Amino acid sequence: MKTFDVQSIEIDRPVKAVFDYVANPTNLPNWTNAFKSADHEKAELVTPAGAVPIALKTVAQPDAGTVDWFMTFPDGGAGTAYSRATANGEGKAIYSFVLMAPPVALEALEGALGEQMAILAKELQELKAVLEG
């Protein structure tokens, strides 16, 4: 059973601009469907049942180009997401994202991950549009 997915997109912006934008958690609502709001300590996730408050820790490593998120849900469950901005020649970047399966029951895992993979593909297109806009 697959428990992760890796997707990437080329963005016609310098790698530092991509990294700086993604590393700022307040930008998450601008390019993701999952976040209603976010800052350096907390966020509100959008769910079918409404917004859910979570703890959010963003770990950004400029020298490596990595931005990782650690989320803690009200029920104590945890989720993670990992990403990296990589230079791709002059003024271009590749942004890659490792999507981990959400913390759901095993029987729902494949469906949940499959749905999130499709959502991530759209979110990466949105990130590209925001940064290149």
Side-chain angles (χ1 to χ4, degrees), residues 6-83:
V6 180
Q7 295 185 36
S8 62
I9 193 163
E10 183 179 55
I11 299 175
D12 192 16
R13 296 277 292 150
V15 68
K16 183 177 180 342
V18 173
F19 175 85
D20 289 346
Y21 187 83
V22 172
N24 183 346
T26 63
N27 289 326
L28 286 167
N30 300 334
W31 64 277
T32 69
N33 294 331
F35 291 91
K36 181 177 180 181
S37 64
D39 63 30
H40 293 277
E41 296 177 5
K42 62 189 178 317
E44 278 189 282
L45 285 184
V46 177
T47 73
V52 175
I54 65 165
L56 177 66
K57 180 180 178 186
T58 303
V59 178
Q61 303 276 336
D63 292 342
T66 59
V67 181
D68 302 330
W69 295 274
F70 300 89
M71 299 161 279
T72 305
F73 301 95
D75 66 0
T80 54
Y82 306 100
S83 73

Side-chain angles (χ1 to χ4, degrees), residues 81-114:
Y82 306 100
S83 73
R84 182 177 204 136
T86 306
N88 189 30
E90 186 88 19
K92 294 183 186 251
I94 298 168
Y95 180 66
S96 56
F97 193 100
V98 179
L99 176 66
M100 305 304 292
V104 298
L106 189 57
E107 61 272 9
L109 190 57
E110 284 188 14
L113 182 59

